[in-house]
Amino acid sequence: MAVSWRSWLANEGVKHLCLFVWLSLNVLLFWKTFLLYNQGPEYHYLHQMLGLGLCLSRASASVLNLNCSLILLPMCRTLLAYLRGSQKVPSRRTRRLLDKSRTFHITCGVTICIFSGVHVAAHLVNALNFSVNYSEDFVELNAARYRDEDPRKLLFTTVPGLTGVCMVLVLFLMITASTYAIRVSNYDIFWYTHNLFFVFYMLLMLHVSGDDWEPYKLRRLYFIWVCRDIQSFRWFADLLCVLHNKFWQENRPDYVNIQLYLSQTDGIQKIIGEKYQALNSRLFIGRPRWKLLFDEIAKCNRGKTVGVFCCGPSSISKTLHKLSNRNNSYGTRFEYNKESFS
């Protein structure tokens, strides 16, 4: 049976056009980043030290950043419901395209998995090359502290390495629980593991900050976590302690400001364990005083742009959104970002 091109374009044209645009963006980002680190004069000595691993790790990181920024959009059900039920999208072809949102979500997820593998493999090679090719002439470029340092130390004692390992574990849980067999047999497992995306994005921000500190000029990261009971903090406490201790050892104690709030308690409680002393001093009873916190951040970042990322109840989201839009006397602009599944 002959295919009618007019019918095919009407039914499949927009979908394939969007797929082509997405694919082109991925290829363009990968190739431009690869060439930058392969031929850019500013990365000459770093490329001499790391070789192809540098190019692949940075190029794959660009693709990962793109898809991590897109993968949540197709699952924003409130937005999709609004677009379908309004006149904002008058074209029936475009409306049908919205029905493919889950497919695009899966496509981005598969791409993230593939390039995560490339990224991890490249960084394993980089860690080895940092150790083997250590040069005292370029100490500031080398993640290793001396020649033939154990590459595992670079992976498990640095912020990019530790957060990268945690991200791989979280991604593995999310992908494994997304298989058809698990979704059919126990949908709750799929649902709860998929909500680990909040942890994944928090780790991603820390990973990028630790990996590219100087180019991005990150001055301070405020990490504010509000929970009802003390048990909720313990599963993430180890990573927070590692980050805190690392920055203190590097004489950068102000780069990460950790504040933990216990909203419901019968008395003063602490996170059990001697190694959690750094967090116990940052554990507060009650709720954050958001307005004072915003004023403090605005004062410390006069005339700059500060990103606000929220994942939590709608009441907190509305409060942070309003405070982000509020004028301040320091010329600081707050950009509000809300990440959640509806």
Side-chain angles (χ1 to χ4, degrees), residues 4-15 91-94 96-97:
S4 170
W5 283 105
R6 293 185 61 184
S7 298
W8 185 89
L9 287 175
N11 292 312
E12 311 293 340
V14 177
K15 178 183 69 176
S91 172
R92 285 179 294 180
R93 297 178 183 177
T94 307
R96 286 199 301 270
L97 185 63

Side-chain angles (χ1 to χ4, degrees), residues 57-193:
S57 64
R58 304 317 303 163
S60 58
S62 296
V63 175
L64 288 171
N65 289 337
L66 172 64
N67 286 276
C68 284
S69 66
L70 294 176
I71 193 170
L72 292 180
L73 291 177
M75 303 310 291
C76 292
R77 298 178 182 175
T78 302
L79 175 62
L80 294 177
Y82 170 75
L83 292 176
R84 287 192 183 98
S86 69
Q87 300 302 317
K88 301 294 183 182
V89 184
S91 172
R92 285 179 294 180
R93 297 178 183 177
T94 307
R95 285 173 182 267
R96 286 199 301 270
L97 185 63
L98 296 177
D99 297 330
K100 302 293 183 180
S101 59
R102 180 175 173 273
T103 302
F104 183 67
H105 174 78
I106 295 174
T107 303
C108 289
V110 172
T111 304
I112 290 174
C113 290
I114 294 174
F115 281 91
S116 291
V118 176
H119 190 70
V120 170
H123 270 312
L124 291 176
V125 175
N126 289 341
L128 179 62
N129 285 332
F130 270 132
S131 176
V132 174
N133 299 326
Y134 178 84
S135 173
E136 294 183 355
D137 295 330
F138 306 103
V139 176
E140 67 279 2
L141 295 179
N142 206 312
R145 292 170 294 180
Y146 52 86
R147 182 178 294 276
D148 296 328
E149 181 180 9
D150 190 345
R152 290 174 294 184
K153 290 184 178 180
L154 304 181
L155 297 176
F156 296 102
T157 62
T158 62
V159 173
L162 186 60
T163 54
V165 171
C166 293
M167 288 169 64
V168 170
L169 293 176
V170 171
L171 185 62
F172 175 78
L173 289 175
M174 295 175 66
I175 295 301
T176 303
S178 300
T179 58
Y180 178 78
I182 292 181
R183 283 189 288 114
V184 171
S185 61
N186 195 325
Y187 186 81
D188 286 344
I189 294 179
F190 161 74
W191 173 251
Y192 286 115
T193 54

Side-chain angles (χ1 to χ4, degrees), residues 295-336:
D295 289 339
E296 176 190 345
I297 296 175
K299 185 177 181 180
C300 295
N301 297 272
R302 297 171 183 265
K304 301 190 179 297
T305 300
V306 177
V308 180
F309 298 86
C310 172
C311 182
S314 58
S315 57
I316 294 180
S317 175
K318 291 179 180 178
T319 300
L320 298 183
H321 201 164
K322 289 180 180 179
L323 288 172
S324 297
N325 292 332
R326 185 174 62 93
N327 288 327
N328 60 79
S329 57
Y330 305 103
T332 305
R333 184 164 63 95
F334 291 93
E335 289 187 350
Y336 179 77

